[in-house]
Amino acid sequence: LKGFICSDLIGVGKYASLAPFGCITEVEGILDGQGVAGFGPSGHGDRKGFELPPVFKALANVSGEHGSLGVPVPQPTFSFICDARGGELQLGGFDASAVSSPPMQVTSLSTSSYVVPITAMSVGDKRILDFASTGTLNSSRPYVGGILDSGATCMCLPDQTLGGRLTKSPWGELMGIIGKSAHDKKRDALRVEIDHLVTVEIPASVWLTSVKAL
């Protein structure tokens, strides 16, 4: 990258902080980073050289260079809350009164991104994830890693068996279900089970009308 460094006062709600940012004039190769907002975990391998804090880290004043401008976020934590009607971003922690039931904790499988163990996926009584009895997966608690990306607007399924860890292609299984659904008035929800603890249910009115092959 080539360019120069600037800074400006940025604010979200009652929080504000002086944040540096790069004005890029030339780019060579692949640009790797946490995105503009910077909600990704801090660990990104053995990256060397100067690195600007993204917007979220600057709001939390993780560099200690806040100065006297604005009011920084109390601590560098955040929460995303959403349902079929909309969503909310909470800065500085988690407001338990914003949800109808207690949250359940799932440990990320990675330190450089938010990856959770997906232990089951199904539509009605039809499994989309069919784990092989042998392979590199733990046979007693099989899973595949699912990446949670705040910048993604869709759910991506692999069209392969992941080196034999699955018996069938999840995408192929879903396409077969959709083909049968075209002649069936019943529309089942898509269920995703995370770490045998949490089940997320997506109504057919949401997932069935949005399926696309890329």
Side-chain angles (χ1 to χ4, degrees), residues 11-181:
V12 177
K14 67 179 182 180
Y15 300 120
S17 180
L18 190 65
F21 57 92
C23 293
I24 301 172
T25 57
E26 295 182 36
V27 178
E28 294 182 5
I30 299 176
L31 178 60
D32 179 30
Q34 296 187 42
V36 175
F39 290 116
S42 298
H44 273 269
D46 297 326
R47 185 178 297 173
K48 298 180 180 180
F50 178 72
E51 184 177 0
L52 291 174
V55 170
F56 177 62
K57 298 298 193 319
L59 274 174
N61 190 27
V62 295
S63 66
E65 300 175 356
H66 175 267
S68 59
L69 296 174
V71 178
V73 175
Q75 54 184 336
T77 58
F78 69 92
S79 304
F80 281 123
I81 299 175
C82 64
D83 59 16
R85 298 167 295 177
E88 180 176 289
L89 168 63
Q90 298 180 353
L91 299 177
F94 170 68
D95 181 7
S97 65
V99 295
S100 58
S101 59
M104 302 187 71
Q105 182 172 331
V106 177
T107 302
S108 176
L109 300 174
S110 171
T111 58
S112 60
S113 57
Y114 301 114
V115 184
V116 295
I118 305 298
T119 47
M121 287 186 69
S122 63
V123 175
D125 59 358
K126 179 65 175 179
R127 290 186 298 180
I128 297 175
L129 288 183
D130 192 8
F131 294 102
S133 58
T134 60
T136 57
L137 284 173
N138 185 335
S139 58
S140 62
R141 294 179 63 86
Y143 65 84
V144 294
I147 300 175
L148 304 180
D149 183 3
S150 63
T153 57
C154 63
M155 179 185 294
C156 299
L157 293 178
D159 191 14
Q160 56 176 298
T161 62
L162 302 179
R165 293 183 292 173
L166 303 172
T167 61
K168 302 174 183 177
S169 157
W171 175 254
E173 289 296 284
L174 184 63
M175 289 297 97
I177 293 172
I178 291 176
K180 294 179 181 179
S181 296

